Amino acid sequence: MHAPPKKRRILLIEDMVPLAKLYIEFLRNEPLDVVHVARGRDALASAESRPPDAVILDLKLPDMDGLDVLRALQDRDPGVSVVIVTAHGSIDLAVEAMRLGAFDFIVKPFNADRLNLTLRNALERRALTRIVEGYRKDLDRDRFHGFIGGSDEMQAVYRTIESVATSRANVFITGESGTGKEVAAHAIHRASPRRDRAFIALNCAAIPKDLLESEIFGHVKGAFTGATADRPGAAMLAHGGTLFLDEICEMPVDLQSKLLRFVQTGAVTPVGSGQEARVDVRIVAATNRDPLAEVQAGRFREDLYYRLHVIPLALPPLRDRGEDVVEIARALLADYVREEGKSFTAFAPEVEARLRGYDWPGNVRQLQNVLRNMVVLHDGAWVTADMLPARMAAPPAVPCAPSASTGPASAGGVLPDGDAVVPLWQVEKEMIRRALRLTGDDVPRAALMLEISPSTIYRKLQQWRSTEETAV
Ligand SMILES: Nc1ncnc2c1ncn2[C@@H]1O[C@H](COP(=O)(O)OP(=O)(O)OP(=O)(O)O)[C@@H](O)[C@H]1O
Ligand SMILES: [Mg+2]
């Protein structure tokens, strides 16, 4: 005995009730569950609560443009099969709908056979797309919401993003500078049911400390000098969507306690106001520091850390992603060649080997910079090794002694002149100190000058601080 086949759900969107009744009559003998609505808005609500397998859509609706309804249905479920019903005079519109991805259209008046046949085909396509989607889910991907790379390390990242996207749980992203933390935050939002609502990003390191509270929670007119009108903050603007707090470890500790309250209760109190509002946001936080070390050093509140660190997402450094570096480089080369009007078509094998061998302290951002410079400065059909920056040259077979005029020994400070050699850590320390001095202690900018990640500098500073403390 076979179980009766599961009824397929059809959403019929038709504002003329007699016509809708006629279509339902046409489909009477099919194993279908037909839901009829007369308005666009009702159609979207119905699709949300009872997702249809196929849709019959009359483009002329009283409350919404039929093409907008089509777009919204496809945004919800890109695999849905939509059959357009159109009058003779509006075939252009139906063709436009097909261009937007509708499955087919039928011209009024039509008979039961025509409707049945079209619908059967639409349902068959739906079933096929489900099978393909199923396969695709299991397959490894080399692209995912703005990420390029098919390495095992990135497959794990994609899977985490996909599995957390549907929940409201807060996500804490860590990773060296340039590993794609912002890309990941966007991906979480886009893969989530919140994707049609706002994604609001706030960089805690880029906003002056005394303005940060108002940026997050908003302010009322007169709250401080310059507050000439009420202004909603990021938390309010992100209502229903995602709030991305970038460089979260840079947030001053007193503001961290206000943020903690918000994370616990969803209550927002604008600066200068006594009134609370409640919002529904999903928080994604990111840092290129080691958050636990920040907690231990007393710079980051432990209770806030645990509230935000519900789902950890660690982005691997580019040097640990195997072939991804070449894959990303090829995609970037194609983009830059197009943008700069150059004619490169590929990398010479030696260049690919050097891309693989280099350790990419600035990760994908550094790869972007290297390739952009190269494309701007050179031309040809192949990218050859001589076009790469000197620091990516293969290491020389015999280490060179620093020369008096060009080597680090002439750089001054603790570094001696001439042929004298000092321990490498001393050179490193001097260079980091110098970069910090030149940038006014701006760690991210110093990191850029040194072509290392800011977290490396933070780590070194901490290391030196603790060795100096123990030395005293
Ligand atoms: N896997 C990837 N594929 C393609 N592009 C990427 C990938 N990862 C990052 N990028 C690109 O590299 C650049 C840096 O990424 P992003 O800004 O997300 O890094 P980040 O981790 O936030 O860095 P920082 O800590 O310095 O803020 C962006 O232009 C981003 O689009
Ligand atoms: Mg970032």
Side-chain angles (χ1 to χ4, degrees), residues 177-178 180-183 203 244 246-247 286 288 365:
S177 185
K181 295 186 289 297
E182 193 161 343
V183 179
N203 187 330
F244 175 42
D246 203 357
E247 316 250 13
N288 50 29
R365 189 177 295 106

Side-chain angles (χ1 to χ4, degrees), residues 210-211 214 218-228 231 271-272:
D210 47 344
L211 287 184
S214 129
H219 62 246
V220 295
K221 185 176 170 182
F224 48 84
T225 326
T228 52
R231 189 162 169 266
V271 177

Side-chain angles (χ1 to χ4, degrees), residues 11-24 35-40 43 55-62 84-87 108 110:
L11 176 58
L12 167 61
I13 311 167
E14 169 61 72
D15 63 318
M16 313 255 277
V17 175
L19 277 183
K21 282 194 170 144
L22 178 66
Y23 302 159
I24 292 172
V35 176
H36 168 235
V37 296
R39 290 165 179 277
V55 178
I56 304 171
L57 170 64
D58 188 326
L59 288 176
K60 293 236 159 36
L61 295 171
I84 304 292
V85 171
T86 181
K108 291 192 247 189
F110 48 82

Side-chain angles (χ1 to χ4, degrees), residues 182 185-186 189 194 197-203 207 215-216 231-246 281-285:
E182 193 161 343
H186 274 283
H189 179 72
R194 296 170 174 257
R197 310 297 291 271
F199 174 88
I200 305 288
L202 201 89
N203 187 330
I207 297 165
E215 285 293 320
I216 300 177
R231 189 162 169 266
M236 194 75 90
L237 296 173
H239 181 49
T242 307
L243 176 61
F244 175 42
L245 297 175
D246 203 357
V281 297
R282 194 269 177 100
I283 299 181
V284 177

